[in-house]
Amino acid sequence: MDKSGGTGVLTLDTSAPLFLASSLSYGGGALKRKQPMDSSGHPTVSTGIEFPICLNPRRDVRTMLLAKDEVSNDDRVAVGEVDFFSGEKKNSRSLVETELDLKVPSLSSIKKEDLTIQTRLHLQTPNTASDRSTVDDGSSKNEDDKEGMNELAAMQAEVARMKEENQKLRAVLGQVTTSYNSLHMHLTTLMQQRNQRETATPQAHEAMVEEKTDAKDRDHGGVLVPRQFMDLGPAADDEQTSDSSTASPDRSASPPGNAEVGSAEQSWNPYKAQKLNPTKPADHAQEATMRKARVSVRARSEAPMITDGCQWRKYGQKMAKGNPCPRAYYRCTMAAGCPVRKQVQRCADDRSILITTYEGTHNHPLPPAAMAMASTTSAAASMLLSGSMSSTDGLMNSNFLARTILPCSSNMATISASAPFPTVTLDLTQNPTNPLQYQRPPAGPFHVPYPGAAPAFSAPSQPPSLPQVFGQTPHNQSTFSGLQMSLEMAAAQFPHPKAQPVMPPSMAETVNAATAAITADPNFTAALTAAIKSIIGGNHQTVNGSNLIINNNNIIPDKSCS
DNA sequence: CGTCTTTGACCTGCGC
DNA sequence: GCGCAGGTCAAAGACG
């Protein structure tokens, strides 16, 4: 086992199936066979492919990896242990697992849950070596067996208790996450208003002051979310129920005086919205920004479009300049007035690559299969909105993320934040050398709620679960080659000289801020990670929109696709 | 008959 | 102001 450059990439030998063990273990157990040791006497696993493990380093998450060929039937021996919190390779004590160990038949069935939430308990006798020698001696074997049985029984009871505690902690984590989202969105709103106030005309400034006052009043009501997300939240649900008879949700059929319906329409069509309600330019600017935040997915697929769990209706098709393949426009039809749209277009150079660009946030409950994209796009939208914060904030966040998300790195190229619209690009086209496919994690409290949505809204009829990888038809399955948060990019603030000629300072600043905001947000990280948690492999980053590829801090123009 | 797709027209923003 | 490109609308047709 090795750790690779502080990126959290574990290098493993996959010639032997791995066991991902929980951390409940105790020393002093019988070790019936030797394990390979490194020079420092620590157990080792020979290197092979890179196995990215995405963890939130701010949580004390530790993972042991067991090589199957190092494990006997009776005793499973931990051959390595990495502390993801510090990034250090811990003293790899020989540990004997208990029944809590999560044994999985292969890497492909490792779940994110296994990697992110674990409870740790070390009950280690003071002198492991003496225990080992005692066991190996065999003279007091019966006595040891009895003690072992007693310990085992105690451990089993402890395991049950810890499982319960773990569940409680998960619930708390979910609540904290929700609260954080709400606060974050409020902060985002305030920063938006500040930025707009700085650039607004005096008249607009006055309007902003009034708007802020109104917002303050609303804040006293306990709702602290940007306007669009308010509109797309429960209020939008109200619209959905009250206006469900409307056959065409995108038409301007909103009756006068119905502010919520009108705002939903506004978010859908900002041009009409400005005509309908020209008195609040700040709101519309913000809505437009939110609406324009995009998530682009590049995946290899022969299908006309990827299956992401949502229902879409095609409403247009255009020939885009520089691409012989037409661009199709779809809108979400799972609920009336849902503002989410997507564009589907094939890459000009490689027509096997399907580029799907999502825009907007769903205003309705989603099936688990659709949660991946929904979480990703909604989180991206909110985080990209945060990207408009000052560069100082972006710098702060980038440093923050550099400290915190490095272990979350994996090998896929994905991040983009660029003009004209802030965009996150998930490049899933890199052919995976290790096409691992995670199973969908079990439903849990940790999810990315709709940004700014009240708890009531985050509890739809179908409880949100961790996003499932949006799938392809079985015969034409897209494989994610890996996800890579733009960690090095943000942390280094584009230090490489090559970056300068191709990226104007303002653009770099924008990308930095957006990237920092995106990656510093644990929810977005979680959403993105979960959305493409089958990602493993590849090793480059892209900054799309600005047509850049960022690879190990080198920024090069991306002319592959239009 | 309802839903969805197709496709030309229209609208808007932007650069010149 | 004009042209271009991106995005959207909406009528017509296809399909089950």
Side-chain angles (χ1 to χ4, degrees):
Chain A
M1 179 179 294
D2 192 11
K3 74 184 177 73
S4 171
T7 61
V9 175
L10 300 177
T11 304
L12 303 171
D13 181 6
T14 55
S15 61
L18 294 172
F19 289 100
L20 182 66
S22 75
S23 297
L24 180 60
S25 56
Y26 63 92
L31 296 177
K32 296 184 178 179
R33 52 179 299 192
K34 291 184 178 179
Q35 50 191 306
M37 298 287 184
D38 61 14
S39 58
S40 61
H42 296 152
T44 61
V45 175
S46 59
T47 60
I49 65 155
E50 286 188 335
F51 174 48
I53 296 179
C54 295
L55 296 172
N56 188 334
R58 281 165 291 182
R59 303 185 186 104
D60 188 3
V61 179
R62 303 178 184 192
T63 301
M64 290 188 301
L65 293 164
L66 307 180
K68 186 178 184 179
D69 61 352
E70 303 296 335
V71 180
S72 67
N73 288 332
D74 297 328
D75 302 314
R76 301 198 180 279
V77 181
V79 296
E81 181 182 9
V82 172
D83 187 343
F84 284 93
F85 185 72
S86 64
E88 295 176 353
K89 181 176 181 179
K90 306 294 288 185
N91 180 16
S92 299
R93 298 178 298 274
S94 297
L95 304 173
V96 177
E97 301 172 1
T98 71
E99 283 82 0
L100 184 61
D101 290 343
L102 304 174
K103 302 177 184 63
V104 292
S106 66
L107 278 177
S108 61
S109 60
I110 294 175
K111 301 174 183 177
K112 183 172 180 288
E113 284 292 298
D114 301 332
L115 299 174
T116 55
I117 300 177
Q118 293 181 354
T119 307
R120 187 174 184 80
L121 174 63
H122 270 287
L123 298 178
Q124 192 154 16
T125 55
N127 190 340
T128 302
S130 65
D131 289 347
R132 190 178 305 168
S133 62
T134 300
V135 171
D136 291 343
D137 182 43
S139 59
S140 56
K141 187 176 180 180
N142 291 337
E143 187 174 343
D144 281 351
D145 287 345
K146 286 183 178 178
E147 291 180 1
M149 291 294 292
N150 290 336
E151 284 191 35
L152 186 59
M155 289 303 305
Q156 286 175 340
E158 187 70 13
V159 166
R161 188 188 65 80
M162 292 183 66
K163 282 181 178 178
E164 187 177 350
E165 181 180 340
N166 201 356
Q167 288 181 349
K168 292 178 181 177
L169 289 174
R170 291 187 190 192
V172 171
L173 178 60
Q175 294 174 359
V176 169
T177 301
T178 302
S179 300
Y180 167 80
N181 261 348
S182 178
L183 288 173
H184 185 271
M185 293 309 299
H186 185 214
L187 175 63
T188 298
T189 304
L190 294 178
M191 301 185 82
Q192 276 286 305
Q193 291 176 350
R194 188 188 65 183
N195 289 341
Q196 290 164 358
R197 187 167 58 245
E198 288 173 355
T199 59
T201 62
Q203 290 83 356
H205 176 71
E206 292 179 6
M208 282 294 300
V209 171
E210 294 179 6
E211 170 73 10
K212 193 174 182 180
T213 304
D214 294 340
K216 221 173 187 177
D217 295 339
R218 287 196 300 269
D219 290 352
H220 287 300
V223 181
L224 309 174
V225 292
R227 177 65 174 274
Q228 179 187 14
F229 291 134
M230 289 175 61
D231 294 340
L232 298 182
D237 274 351
D238 295 340
E239 172 207 344
Q240 178 179 340
T241 53
S242 64
D243 198 31
S244 58
S245 60
T246 303
S248 184
D250 53 315
R251 297 295 175 262
S252 308
S254 54
N258 189 341
E260 293 302 332
V261 173
S263 62
E265 164 66 22
Q266 289 158 20
S267 70
W268 175 252
N269 191 336
Y271 309 132
K272 286 185 178 179
Q274 207 143 6
K275 291 179 179 178
L276 290 173
N277 188 5
T279 59
K280 293 198 174 184
D283 264 10
H284 297 315
Q286 177 175 320
E287 288 175 1
T289 303
M290 297 296 288
R291 195 180 73 84
K292 293 301 180 183
R294 295 176 172 179
V295 174
S296 181
V297 177
R298 291 163 49 92
R300 293 189 183 279
S301 174
E302 298 302 322
M305 70 177 185
I306 60 177
T307 303
D308 48 23
C310 283
Q311 296 173 358
W312 303 94
R313 174 174 179 157
K314 190 176 183 178
Y315 67 89
Q317 179 169 309
K318 288 281 288 189
M319 295 299 298
K321 187 182 180 183
N323 192 332
C325 303
R327 175 184 302 165
Y329 300 90
Y330 296 88
R331 66 167 62 105
C332 177
T333 59
M334 293 191 75
C338 179
V340 176
R341 288 168 296 178
K342 74 174 181 180
Q343 301 174 7
V344 179
Q345 187 174 32
R346 295 207 168 271
C347 180
D349 287 353
D350 187 351
R351 301 190 182 188
S352 65
I353 297 176
L354 201 62
I355 303 171
T356 305
T357 303
Y358 295 86
E359 178 182 318
T361 305
H362 292 282
N363 65 349
H364 53 85
L366 289 171
M371 282 300 297
M373 274 299 111
S375 298
T376 304
T377 54
S378 61
S382 60
M383 291 308 104
L384 284 171
L385 179 62
S386 302
S388 62
M389 67 182 68
S390 67
S391 58
T392 303
D393 295 327
L395 181 64
M396 178 185 69
N397 283 343
S398 67
N399 292 333
F400 176 66
L401 76 91
R403 291 196 312 270
T404 58
I405 312 185
L406 279 175
C408 191
S409 172
S410 61
N411 293 332
M412 172 188 145
T414 318
I415 266 218
S416 65
S418 61
F421 311 121
T423 304
V424 177
T425 300
L426 312 180
D427 190 345
L428 314 178
T429 61
Q430 301 302 308
N431 188 35
T433 54
N434 184 16
L436 300 175
Q437 297 287 334
Y438 285 131
Q439 293 175 348
R440 190 173 74 87
F446 182 73
H447 65 280
V448 181
Y450 295 88
F457 182 69
S458 62
S461 57
Q462 285 179 279
S465 61
L466 276 170
Q468 181 180 20
V469 176
F470 53 91
Q472 295 284 80
T473 54
H475 65 280
N476 186 25
Q477 187 172 12
S478 289
T479 53
F480 298 153
S481 57
L483 159 67
Q484 184 164 3
M485 309 303 290
S486 180
L487 307 171
E488 296 87 354
M489 174 180 72
Q493 298 290 311
F494 301 99
H496 201 285
K498 289 180 181 178
Q500 301 305 321
V502 298
M503 178 173 285
S506 59
M507 175 68 72
E509 192 172 307
T510 301
V511 172
N512 276 343
T515 302
I518 295 165
T519 52
D521 186 277
N523 293 321
F524 176 77
T525 303
L528 205 54
T529 303
I532 52 179
K533 54 185 175 293
S534 65
I535 296 164
I536 290 176
N539 189 21
H540 84 277
Q541 302 172 323
T542 59
V543 170
N544 247 358
S546 54
N547 294 327
L548 298 176
I549 295 176
I550 298 181
N551 189 349
N552 297 331
N553 294 332
N554 295 328
I555 302 176
I556 58 177
D558 178 13
K559 298 177 180 178
S560 59
C561 297
S562 59

